[in-house]
Amino acid sequence: MREMSENMATLLKSKNMVGENAPSHEVTVEGASGSDYWGDYAKYTVAESTSYSQVYGAFVVVDNYIYFAHEEYIPSERVYVSKLDTATGSVEMICLLSDTVIEKGMTYFEGHIYVMLSGMDMFKIDLTTKTPTMVYDAPTAFNELIVYNDAIYASRRNAGGTADDLAVFDVNTNTWTNVVTMAAGRRLNGLAVMGTDLFAIEDGSTNPNRGALLKLNGSSFTTVAPAYSSLYNDLKMPIAMGGTIYAITYEQGTSVDWCGGALLKWNGSDAWILQIPMNTEKRQFTNAIATDGTYVYCTTTRVTTEQPNPLSLVRAKADFSAWEVVCWEETGLDAWGGMGLAVVGNKVYGFHAPEFVKHVPVIGLPVKSISINRDKNIAGLLNLAIDNKDGANSVDVSGVLLPNVEVVVKQGYGEERVTTFTGLIDRVEMWTFPQEVLVTCRDKIKLALDQLVTVVDGENIYRVVTYTDQTVEAIFSDLCTKAGLTTGTVEETGVTLSEKTFSWETYGDAFQWLADLVGFEFTADEDGLVHFRADEAPTTPTVAYVFKEGEDIINLGYVVDDNELYYDIYVYGAEVDGTVVYGYSPYYGRTNYNVLEQKILKIDAPDCDTYLKCQEIANRTAKLMASRARVVTFQAIGIPWLQIGDFIQVIESSTTISEIYRITGLQTNMDENGYTMTITCYYHSYGEA
Amino acid sequence: MYTFGSTELKIIMGSYRASYASNNVVEIPLLAGEGPASIVQQNGRGRYIISFDSYVTSLSDYNTLRADYLSLTAKTFTGPETGTYMIFDLTQAEGVLPNLWKFSITLMEV
C-alpha cells in the first residue's frame, strides 16, 4: 500500500481532473551520456564487511569493472579492495590489504592494481589470483598514481617535506626514482596525461607559481601556463579531454564565503582560459572530476555548517557555458565522502561515504498511450505507443529503444506522480500507419525468467550451482544478485536447506521452487525491487481506497461461481518407503457458498514424502479458493497509487456489494480517452460502511 | 509589420483570428450516483493555431511560403502574437492584381 496525499484523495473524488490536475505521466529510458534528463540515483553498499564501511575515492576502471578501496571502521579500520561489476551491479571483495588508511593512489598496470596506502605502503594486487603483495615501503607520502609512457608515475613529498618530486616506479626492481626534483616550496597538485605529454598543476603556500600548469620536458618541468589569478590559485584535479586540459578550483576565503567552483581550461595556448566563472550559488567543489568525452562532471557540496552536508552532482554544459545540476542530493549523502567520480558507459558513478552511487542519464519519451497490466504471480507488462509522425522520433529513439533497456513510468495527476512501472524492453515495433513506435516491456522479473542460474568464478562459468547449509531467504537473495535484481523485502522463512543444487535452470524456476517450498510468493514491484514474502492476508486489513458508484466506478461486474470451489481438499503423497501419507483441509467458505458436500478435490503429490508437506499444500489450496469464490472486476478512474495485494472497499447498489476486497490484478490505460484502470479483486471480509 | 521568417505578410483587415487551442477534455461516464455521473479529465492541450487572410506582393514570396508549407518548416511569426510556428494550412494564391497575391494561411505552434 502506498500513501497518497490528502489533496490527491480529495482530487480523485472531485470528478474534475483538468488543468493543473490533469492526468500526467513521465516515461523515461536509459539514455546515452549527455541526455537531458537524469533518473533517480541508485545506491550500492559494500556487503562483504559486517560493520559500517566507508568507500574511498581511490578507484580504477578496468573494462566494465570498477575496482575501489573501502575501509571497515569497526573493529580494526582495515582496508579492502572490492570490484563492482557495472553490468550486473554486483560487488565482490577482492582482498584485504592492511590496517592503514588509503590515499588517492590507485592505478592499473599490466594485469595488476597498484595501491598506495597512507601508511606509505604500496601494494600490487594480482587480479587473477586476487593476492596482494607489498612492493614498496615508502618513507614519504605519495599523491595519486598515474600511468604514463608505459610506467607508473607519482608525485611524492621529498624527505624534508618541503616539496613534491615527480617519480617513476620500476615494476621489476620495485623502486621509485626521481624524474624531476623540485625546489623547496614547490608542490604538485594533480597530474594528467594528454597524448604523449604529462602535465602537473603546481601548488604550495609560498609559491608564486601556485596554480600554474607544468609540462614534463625530459627531466624538468616547463611552465606552459602561469597561475590564472590569485583568486583561482587552488587549482586541482586536471583532466584531459579532446586536446584540452580542464581543472576546477574554488575561491579561497573564510569557510562561509566559499563560492561555487570555477572551470579553467588550457588548450595549448600560453595561459589558462576561464571557462566557467565562480557562481554565486555558494556550492563548493569537492575532490571529484570526471569526463565522458562531452561533459565535465564534478561533485559539489552546499556551503553550510549543517551536517550532514548534502552532495550534488553537477556537469559543465555541452558548450561549457555554465554548470548545470545533474542530481541534487539534498539529503542522505554525506559530503565528507564524494572523493571520486567515474564514468563507465553512459553512467556516472560517485564515490560517497559510506556507499557509492550510480547516476543514470535518461531520455524522456513522447508517449501517446501507456497501458500497464499487472497480475499476481506473473511478470507485469507495459505497452507504450510513441508518436512517430513523419519519423519525428524514430531517429532519436532507435539507438536507445533496444531490448533490455530499462524503462521507468511515473503516472499521476498534475505534479503528483508515482512510479507505476520499472522494467526492461522486450520488443520494439515501428509502424507507418499509424506512424508510431510500439514498445513492449516486462517488469524486472524478466531477468529471472530469461536467464539461467550462473556462477562466474574467474575464467570459469558454471551453470550448476549448489548451496549448502543456507536459509531459503539467503539463497533467494544470492540468486537475485546473480541475476542482476535488487531485493526489496525478503522475509525470514525459518527454513535452512542442507543442500540444494540448481542445474541449468532459470532463476525464475529456482525462485518458484524456493517459493513453493516455504509457501512464499516472489514479485517485482513498481520500483523494480524484488520481494520474497509470505502470501498472507492480515485479518484486519487497512483499506487503501474506497470505490463508490457515482464517484469513481465506470462499470462493474460481479461473479459468484462454484466452478472451482470444493467442500474438502485431500492431498496424497508417499513416504520414501512407499507408505501413503495425506493432508486434509476443509474449504472455509463451503457453508457460505453452499458447496455440495461430496464435491471433493483430490490432489496427488508423489513428491511429498511427509504428512506436513501434504498438509501445507492442502492449506494453501484452501486459502487460494478464497480468491475464486466471489470475484469483482470493475473499471474505474486511474489510481496509480494502488498495488496488487492492496485492500479496497467497493460500494455499489445494484449488486449490493459494500465489502472489502483484495486486489489480484490491475490494468491501467492512459491515452487520449483519459486515464482509467480495470481492477480484479476477490472478496476478503465484510467492510464497515 | 507581420512576418513569417523573413517573408512579409500583409493582413487583410478584419481577418486575423487569434491563437486558439483545444483543451483536450474528455468526459468519462460513471455508474450513476448522486450528482453528475461522469468524470472530466484533460489530456494537456492541443497546439495553438492562428489563422488569417493575407496577401503578398510577389509570387516568389508566396512560393517561399509554399515551400515552407510543404516542408513543414518552422519559423518565427511576428505579429500580434509572436512565436515559432509552422504553416499548417495554406490556400492557393489568387492573383487579384498583377502584384497582389491573396491567400489564407493557418499557423500551428511547434
Side-chain angles (χ1 to χ4, degrees):
Chain A
M1 190 176 136
R2 297 196 282 198
E3 287 291 323
M4 132 184 15
S5 72
E6 211 168 289
N7 284 348
M8 187 51 63
T10 312
L11 172 71
L12 291 171
K13 291 290 182 189
S14 73
K15 304 182 183 181
N16 200 25
M17 290 78 154
V18 296
E20 59 181 18
N21 295 320
S24 62
H25 65 266
E26 192 182 320
V27 182
T28 51
V29 289
E30 197 179 294
S33 303
S35 293
D36 291 339
Y37 303 87
W38 287 74
D40 297 336
Y41 56 87
K43 282 186 184 182
Y44 295 105
T45 45
V46 181
E48 274 76 11
S49 57
T50 50
S51 58
Y52 187 64
S53 186
Q54 177 180 342
V55 174
Y56 280 94
F59 67 93
V60 61
V61 181
V62 183
D63 298 329
N64 279 323
Y65 299 104
I66 301 176
Y67 293 87
F68 64 97
H70 56 106
E71 177 199 21
E72 190 185 52
Y73 273 162
I74 305 161
S76 58
E77 296 197 331
R78 293 174 294 187
V79 172
Y80 294 92
V81 173
S82 292
K83 78 168 177 184
L84 167 75
D85 183 339
T86 57
T88 66
S90 64
V91 177
E92 183 198 343
M93 201 190 87
I94 302 293
C95 62
L96 172 67
L97 278 186
S98 153
D99 58 355
T100 47
V101 186
I102 203 151
E103 285 288 17
K104 284 185 284 187
M106 194 167 190
T107 194
Y108 174 80
F109 188 67
E110 291 180 348
H112 294 81
I113 283 180
Y114 289 83
V115 183
M116 186 63 79
L117 299 178
S118 70
M120 300 166 198
D121 300 333
M122 186 178 175
F123 281 88
K124 80 170 175 185
I125 303 164
D126 187 319
L127 290 187
T128 317
T129 62
K130 299 177 186 171
T131 47
T133 318
M134 198 175 99
V135 291
Y136 191 70
D137 187 0
T140 52
F142 277 69
N143 285 323
E144 78 261 48
L145 304 175
I146 193 165
V147 174
Y148 166 66
N149 209 6
D150 274 340
I152 301 171
Y153 281 71
S155 63
R156 63 168 175 179
R157 195 61 38 94
N158 69 8
T162 56
D164 289 342
D165 298 328
L166 182 73
V168 64
F169 187 69
D170 187 326
V171 292
N172 298 315
T173 59
N174 291 339
T175 49
W176 284 97
T177 315
N178 265 10
V179 177
V180 182
T181 305
M182 303 287 279
R186 299 187 71 182
R187 300 214 162 127
L188 299 174
N189 208 8
L191 302 174
V193 172
M194 183 163 74
T196 54
D197 293 318
L198 178 76
F199 293 87
I201 291 180
E202 188 163 347
D203 191 26
S205 55
T206 57
N207 175 17
N209 211 25
R210 188 180 185 199
L213 183 67
L214 311 178
K215 184 168 129 181
L216 181 65
N217 195 0
S219 59
S220 64
F221 276 121
T222 314
T223 303
V224 291
Y228 181 76
S229 97
S230 61
L231 275 184
Y232 294 79
N233 56 14
D234 191 28
L235 203 57
K236 56 186 178 180
M237 311 292 290
I239 52 168
M241 185 174 102
T244 304
I245 287 182
Y246 291 89
I248 49 172
T249 180
Y250 61 83
E251 188 175 6
Q252 295 287 293
T254 57
S255 61
V256 288
D257 288 332
W258 274 337
C259 268
L263 183 70
L264 269 69
K265 76 171 181 187
W266 177 82
N267 57 11
S269 61
D270 56 2
W272 283 108
I273 298 163
L274 180 62
Q275 187 72 61
I276 298 175
M278 293 175 195
N279 61 47
T280 52
E281 273 186 61
K282 304 227 168 202
R283 300 183 73 86
Q284 181 203 341
F285 283 71
T286 59
N287 294 327
I289 189 166
T291 174
D292 60 6
T294 310
Y295 292 93
V296 170
Y297 295 88
C298 288
T299 54
T300 67
T301 60
R302 195 171 57 191
V303 175
T304 164
T305 50
E306 291 161 34
Q307 295 293 338
N309 199 334
L311 192 66
S312 294
L313 180 68
V314 300
R315 69 179 178 191
K317 279 186 173 175
D319 59 2
F320 294 99
S321 59
W323 293 101
E324 60 189 2
V325 177
V326 167
C327 205
W328 291 102
E329 322 283 16
E330 288 303 337
T331 53
L333 294 171
D334 289 350
W336 48 275
M339 295 287 287
L341 278 178
V343 179
V344 182
N346 59 353
K347 303 177 188 70
V348 180
Y349 292 82
F351 295 78
H352 307 256
E355 59 241 321
F356 50 98
V357 177
K358 178 175 79 172
H359 301 275
V360 183
V362 295
I363 293 175
L365 294 180
V367 294
K368 280 206 295 198
S369 75
I370 304 167
S371 86
I372 297 173
N373 192 346
R374 308 184 74 86
D375 225 329
K376 210 167 168 290
N377 296 333
I378 59 166
L381 291 173
L382 164 71
N383 286 293
L384 295 175
I386 300 165
D387 188 27
N388 194 27
K389 179 109 172 64
D390 297 322
N393 291 303
S394 60
V395 179
D396 279 355
V397 297
S398 62
V400 172
L401 291 177
L402 296 170
N404 299 316
V405 167
E406 187 171 296
V407 176
V408 177
V409 179
K410 289 182 181 177
Q411 289 172 287
Y413 294 91
E415 292 296 307
E416 267 190 74
R417 285 189 283 268
V418 67
T419 306
T420 51
F421 192 89
T422 303
L424 303 169
I425 295 179
D426 263 336
R427 180 182 163 92
V428 180
E429 297 169 44
M430 291 198 195
W431 292 98
T432 55
F433 187 78
Q435 284 179 330
E436 59 187 16
V437 183
L438 301 178
V439 181
T440 313
C441 309
R442 263 183 295 167
D443 70 19
K444 286 292 186 86
I445 291 292
K446 179 183 183 192
L447 290 173
L449 298 176
D450 288 7
Q451 301 189 98
L452 288 184
V453 177
T454 302
V455 171
V456 181
D457 180 14
E459 291 184 356
N460 300 317
I461 296 173
Y462 303 101
R463 311 275 181 214
V464 180
V465 181
T466 301
Y467 291 91
T468 315
D469 285 331
Q470 291 211 38
T471 59
V472 168
E473 63 270 21
I475 298 175
F476 182 85
S477 299
D478 186 62
L479 288 171
C480 282
T481 309
K482 287 184 165 58
L485 291 164
T486 312
T487 50
T489 314
V490 177
E491 289 181 5
E492 279 185 28
T493 59
V495 177
T496 302
L497 296 178
S498 53
E499 187 176 298
K500 173 62 191 171
T501 299
F502 298 106
S503 168
W504 295 87
E505 288 176 62
T506 63
Y507 289 100
D509 287 345
F511 291 166
Q512 193 64 57
W513 189 88
L514 293 169
D516 284 349
L517 184 77
V518 292
F520 271 36
E521 61 178 8
F522 67 94
T523 51
D525 66 11
E526 289 80 358
D527 296 312
L529 301 177
V530 181
H531 303 281
F532 188 59
R533 54 196 168 196
D535 181 16
E536 295 276 329
T539 42
T540 50
T542 312
V543 173
Y545 194 82
V546 179
F547 287 94
K548 210 168 180 178
E549 66 175 297
E551 286 179 358
D552 33 31
I553 302 175
I554 296 167
N555 65 52
L556 182 139
Y558 176 69
V559 177
V560 187
D561 188 354
D562 87 338
N563 185 25
E564 289 190 73
L565 303 184
Y566 296 86
Y567 196 80
D568 285 325
I569 300 124
Y570 288 90
V571 178
Y572 283 92
E575 284 181 10
V576 183
D577 63 3
T579 314
V580 172
V581 287
Y582 76 94
Y584 154 79
S585 175
Y587 165 48
Y588 301 100
R590 60 195 187 182
T591 322
N592 265 346
Y593 296 111
N594 211 13
V595 182
L596 297 171
E597 257 182 61
Q598 295 173 44
K599 190 179 178 196
I600 309 294
L601 177 66
K602 176 174 179 274
I603 300 173
D604 289 316
D607 291 340
C608 281
D609 54 2
T610 64
Y611 149 75
L612 280 175
K613 285 186 186 172
C614 294
Q615 186 60 43
E616 181 58 38
I617 294 178
N619 290 345
R620 282 175 42 201
T621 312
K623 257 187 217 162
L624 209 58
M625 268 182 206
S627 63
R628 294 178 185 150
R630 274 204 256 174
V631 176
V632 172
T633 306
F634 63 100
Q635 232 191 322
I637 56 155
I639 301 173
W641 282 265
L642 288 181
Q643 295 175 296
I644 303 276
D646 278 357
F647 294 93
I648 52 173
Q649 191 174 14
V650 187
I651 301 171
E652 199 279 316
S653 57
S654 75
T655 52
T656 70
I657 66 170
S658 60
E659 300 90 353
I660 292 175
Y661 290 79
R662 191 174 195 207
I663 299 174
T664 57
L666 278 174
Q667 286 175 38
T668 64
N669 198 51
M670 189 185 248
D671 58 19
E672 74 274 15
N673 297 316
Y675 182 28
T676 57
M677 68 199 288
T678 303
I679 301 180
T680 309
C681 51
Y682 69 85
Y683 169 80
H684 178 266
S685 57
Y686 283 107
E688 314 224 334
Chain B
M1 189 172 75
Y2 295 4
T3 55
F4 180 72
S6 57
T7 312
E8 191 183 337
L9 299 169
K10 312 283 187 189
I11 308 281
I12 292 173
M13 191 74 153
S15 74
Y16 188 85
R17 276 145 289 175
S19 61
Y20 170 82
S22 102
N23 65 359
N24 283 6
V25 163
V26 291
E27 189 179 2
I28 302 173
L30 294 175
L31 283 183
E34 293 162 20
S38 73
I39 284 209
V40 176
Q41 287 187 0
Q42 186 179 24
N43 291 288
R45 62 163 174 83
R47 288 174 190 270
Y48 283 121
I49 52 165
I50 294 172
S51 57
F52 49 90
D53 298 332
S54 176
Y55 67 89
V56 288
T57 50
S58 79
L59 195 53
S60 68
D61 277 354
Y62 176 80
N63 288 345
T64 310
L65 290 172
R66 189 185 59 194
D68 291 341
Y69 164 64
L70 293 176
S71 62
L72 303 177
T73 304
K75 287 185 174 171
T76 303
F77 170 67
T78 316
E81 293 154 299
T82 301
T84 308
Y85 290 85
M86 67 179 197
I87 302 175
F88 178 62
D89 197 16
L90 184 71
T91 60
Q92 261 181 297
E94 216 180 309
V96 181
L97 294 170
N99 52 3
L100 200 159
W101 300 87
K102 184 169 163 267
F103 54 88
S104 294
I105 186 168
T106 304
L107 302 175
M108 181 185 265
E109 175 193 10
V110 287

